[in-house]
Amino acid sequence: MKTFKKTLLSAACVLTLSAAAQAALAEETIKVGILHSLSGTMAISETTLKDTMLMLIEEQNAKGGLLGKKLEAVVVDPASNWPLFAEKARELVSKDKVDAVFGCWTSVSRKSVLPVFEETNSLLFYPVQYEGEESSKNVFYTGAAPNQQAIPAVDYLMAQGVERWVLAGTDYVYPRTTNKILEAYLKLKGVAAEDIMINYTPFGHSDWQSIVSDIKKFGSTGKKAAVVSTINGDANVPFYKELGSQGVAASDIPVVAFSVGEEELSGIDTGPLVGHLAAWNYFMSVDSEANDEFIDAWHKYTKNEDRVTNDPMEAHYLGFNMWVKAVTKAGTTDPAAVQEAIIGVAVPNLTGGYATMMPNHHITKPVLIGEIQDDGQFAVVWNTAGTVAGDAWSDFLEGSKDLISDWRAPLSCGNYNVKTAKCSGQNF
Amino acid sequence: MTVNFRTLHRYLLSCIVIFFLMSAGFSMAGTAPNAKLDEVSRLLMSKTFDDKSRALDVLVEQSQPRTAELLHLLLDSRLYYHKKEKQLYIIADYDTGKIAIDLAGAEQLIKKKRDYKKIILNNNLRGQINRILAELGLNSNDPQQRENAVRDLLKDITPDTVLALKARFTIEESKKVREMIRIALAINDMKSSDEVLISNAIEQLNGSLEQESRGALVTFIDATETLDTPEASALNKQAQIALKGIEDKVQYYGWLETLYFGLSLGSVLVLAGIGLAITFGVMGVINMAHGELIMIGAYTTYVIQLLMPNHIEWSILVAIPAAFLVSGLVGIAIERGVIRFLYGRPLETLLATFGISLILQQAVRSIFSPLNRSVETPEWMSGLIQINPVFSLTLSRLYIIVFCLMVFVALLLVLKKTALGLQVRAVSQNRAMARAMGVRSNRVDALTFGLGSGVAGIAGVALSQLTNVGPNMGQAYIIDSFMVVVFGGVGNLWGTLVAGLTLGVANKVLEPWAGAVLAKVLMLIFIILFIQKRPRGLFPQRGRAAEG
């Protein structure tokens, strides 16, 4: 009996001890959720971002972690399935108890997880350029808003003497909203309606013969024409191939793209595309110390000298550094405290200058225009003098030009109408 | 004899004098412009594009013997500068090259690649370079080059170019180039105020399909619209008639172009669908993994290109049989492994093959990465045949149309003329009877499925030249393939051909006014309605086979 009691006691002891040890182990890490598709259509773009996050977390741990604790990455795969994004987000926040989530690529996946983050009051860092018209208390938009990408690109082309505009896009929310903003902007600048041609194509469109031929005709009236392309992902390769085979040279009709970066170009033979343009806030070819270091680290992490870096990767780099700085400043990972601390936090860009988190949860970015080179890289041909602050609500759309967003204490509103002085409370 | 000697003497003397003069000239050319060349390189190394543009102007003013060479180097992005030395270098191949050559011809070993920066151009500079090259090309020995040069100059005719063109015209021998120059001069004359000149110019532009000719006529018509002097309105009318004539021609070629686009889209559809016509049409298996078999063919092309990097030109020809084998073997494995257990249960086959398609996609993602792979287009497949300024045939599409017809004929021969074809037809018409006659129906099933899959692989080779090679490429074609086979009539190769080409042309006719999205919707609605009327498609099977 005695021995039995003893065993029982010691067993209890061991149990409590191990539980305590487990608790201590759990205490030691700060969990970071990574919500990027690793399978399905979007895996093509999002896998890279998962690797970027893992690399950043590893680097931070090598520097000694955060608040004296190690960071731990929790990776889930929402499989390019929009409803699954919401489920996986809930799993990360409620079950894994992560302190911040970095993820999403498409706007529809962001819209799908938005209610989850608002309900659980946790944080999402969204790294991709998007159509704007949104500002959530729980989301930090580290990619470009339209005024940080589309509008400067159009300004650049106008300065180059372009008078006719083809707005070509894939048929979904980002191109439709961006083109609406651009159309309003062009008309404001005095471009006549017949000098704007708008064209939408389905996802993964592969037969571009007649559209490219139409563009060719549109551009042969004597006035200089350009294509502003919001064509997404896979459809770009056959589009550019068709441009090449129909002999549309960049010096005749340049194409400026908002969704084509180094990664997309790595799947194309860029010889015939030399001179076509892209507008981003980062290019791998930018010559700066920070960028060289980042590229070297990336090559070392992936053990592949040929891997390219791109704009959304920089956005994650900035978002992660901002979060680290804000957590250090707040002294805790509590989302409410971090939300307050992160506004005004500035971290260096990879291309020089600083990115600052604005009160509307968007950041300041330089805008760069690059021309495609025959080695699959972009050469910067133009850039803004300083940085541009992201504008959540476009100044060129009817319903949204009177709206501002400010998440600081007295206003604390993502959708404040300056005319009616009311906060609608709706964030999108 | 003495006279002869004297002339010889004189001749020699003059030769010597000429030689001296020439060498003096040479040495002058050797020193003075070098200073200018330094100026050019300094400007080229500047960060602003304005400076670079000035560098080009200096080059032209100086008319260096090396101007054309330098310009070509710039265009091909082979001109670099050393960040610290501030000197221009020619690097033939930056990726793998080890040697940089400076402008004087001295070679240098590349120690640190990042020190050498490319001279970056923008589109305006490229345009400027092309214009300069065009002006230089005006005196080239190749008539084709001269014609292109004049065509380039058309874009922006200045008094300088008019002088150059007129000078060329007096010595030009080629008929085509003379015609081109006439048009260029006529476009210039349209801007004058002399009525006879304008009238002649309109006469000259009549029937010219160059876009600049149309532009010149339109500007003239717009400008004279409001004038009401009889001469002006007569000229206006003449110009309008000329423009109408040109536009009719343009429209005619527009229709031809649409037809060509339609046929090429149609042959892509036929290629994608014809393998399915065998597996689905002949065997009755709903194979949802058909798109992935196409994808495997495309990846085979990619792998073949990796294996023979120095023979890209021929890689496509090697890839065709290779893709047929790889996809065919995968197809046979699918048939032996899964489908043969599910014959007669179409719904389960559908689900099982859909599962296989997902497995194949993810397998490709794991093996090759989820990123698209770049398949190179061989030199002989890129480019276009320019028939006239408004109508051209893209070579890659032309090859695909021809290739599609070849595959079709080959398949038809296999099914009609070989023993395997006979057995396939026998089994598909009446399995029990065929078995009774000694046909090993299991083996025939496997081979038929392999044949259909192999043809899908061949389609993948063709598609790798047009679109992405990535894990998702199969999904884009599976619906189109089924559409073609169902519309054409199940079990009929001719039906597949006619259906594919019809759908292609109809799609391209609809697209300009309905938009790409709506055109596709309309096509689907049309097919649904058509199937209501004729459930067995365009070419239904008749007789006993139909009941089987």
Side-chain angles (χ1 to χ4, degrees), chain B residues 21 40 43 57 75 84 87 106 153 189 346 400 509:
Chain B
L21 278 176
V40 170
L43 286 171
D57 289 340
L75 268 190
K84 289 163 201 144
Q87 204 179 349
L153 291 177
D189 288 345
I400 281 179
V509 171

Side-chain angles (χ1 to χ4, degrees), chain A residues 207 209-210 213 234 237 245, chain B residues 77 124 257 264 371 384 468 508:
Chain A
D207 194 274
Q209 298 179 89
S210 8
S213 160
D234 280 4
V237 177
S245 60
Chain B
S77 58
N124 288 355
E257 192 184 51
S264 85
L371 299 177
L384 40 90
N468 297 296
K508 285 292 148 187

